[in-house]
Amino acid sequence: MMKILSIQSLTLALTSTLFVACAQAESAVEFACKAPSEINDEQFKSLVTLGAQLANNQSKLDLPSNCAENVKVVDKTVRNPYRLALQVAAQQKSPSDLATALAEQQTPNMPLDQKAQLHSEWLRSIKVACGDHLACVKQTINAIPNFSVAESPIFCAFTRMADYSVQMHFQQQPKPSYPVACLGHSTLTAGAGLSPMQDWFEAYKLLGK
């Protein structure tokens, strides 16, 4: 009798765990159908987890039929970056597809603080698409059309020298604060004593964790 109860309890526990996992996966997929401004940190973490599962063939991407293909970003209607990010993770789209979609969000002569906020949001969708695969990260960044890496407070780690405007940006008071930033200014690794390049990569690994 005890063995039967134990088996029933184990079956119930496994069923419950599977149900919760499925519910979380479904929720994460639904999050990808929102505009980036509507996705909070917990939802972003769920998307990062789902992206990793898709990349490792531990899950299958099943987007809702009403999942938005286009969303509003910086007063523009652009292709939905998080939907595309999951498709990249699931190998249904390429990193360059995500890169061209991100480029749609650019605005000429954008102030540097606004540019940094936008690029921080780009990095979140890249994290969902690429996980910790840095080759994918670099491929996506390098494929963004009409994009100056040296002029980005977030991505200038991928160039030999940051633009002077970016260097001055981090000398402002109060100091700008971004989870992942170039020139050793990532808040996720503050006080770690890393070189600027190490700082960027280590902070990136922590993003969404």
Side-chain angles (χ1 to χ4, degrees):
M1 184 68 177
M2 288 296 292
K3 287 185 177 179
I4 294 174
L5 288 174
S6 296
I7 292 172
Q8 288 177 335
S9 298
L10 180 59
T11 302
L12 182 61
L14 289 172
T15 303
S16 177
T17 301
L18 181 61
F19 175 79
V20 170
C22 290
Q24 289 175 337
E26 290 172 357
S27 296
V29 169
E30 291 170 358
F31 300 152
C33 302
K34 299 180 178 182
S37 61
E38 299 173 1
I39 298 173
N40 62 35
D41 288 342
E42 290 304 313
Q43 293 170 345
F44 169 62
K45 290 178 182 178
S46 296
L47 285 167
V48 170
T49 299
L50 177 57
Q53 291 171 346
L54 291 168
N56 293 321
N57 295 315
Q58 296 172 343
S59 186
K60 184 178 179 181
L61 182 59
D62 187 14
L63 291 166
S65 59
N66 62 345
C67 188
E69 293 188 26
N70 299 294
V71 292
K72 280 275 191 179
V73 177
V74 195
D75 298 325
K76 291 183 175 183
T77 299
V78 299
R79 280 178 289 171
N80 184 343
Y82 283 106
R83 175 188 169 116
L84 275 170
L86 288 182
Q87 291 175 310
V88 172
Q91 300 177 21
Q92 296 176 3
K93 298 285 186 180
S94 71
S96 61
D97 290 321
L98 176 59
T100 54
L102 295 177
E104 295 172 1
Q105 303 175 19
Q106 297 184 102
T107 299
N109 304 316
M110 181 178 285
L112 206 54
D113 57 341
Q114 292 181 24
K115 185 185 292 186
Q117 294 295 336
L118 176 63
H119 294 175
S120 287
E121 187 57 58
W122 285 7
L123 190 61
R124 285 162 66 99
S125 59
I126 291 172
K127 180 67 181 242
V128 173
C130 298
D132 291 336
H133 299 285
L134 297 181
C136 173
V137 175
K138 292 179 181 179
Q139 182 182 351
T140 306
I141 293 168
N142 291 333
I144 300 173
N146 305 313
F147 172 55
S148 173
V149 176
E151 296 176 5
S152 169
I154 309 305
F155 295 112
C156 67
F158 291 89
T159 188
R160 287 187 175 184
M161 183 175 292
D163 188 80
Y164 180 71
S165 63
V166 173
Q167 298 178 43
M168 294 304 296
H169 179 67
F170 286 109
Q171 294 182 24
Q172 295 182 87
Q173 295 298 330
K175 182 179 175 180
S177 175
Y178 313 111
V180 184
C182 62
L183 302 177
H185 295 292
S186 304
T187 59
L188 287 176
T189 48
L194 302 171
S195 70
M197 184 59 79
Q198 285 179 315
D199 174 80
W200 196 96
F201 286 123
E202 291 304 318
Y204 175 79
K205 289 176 185 176
L206 293 173
L207 187 66
K209 298 292 178 67

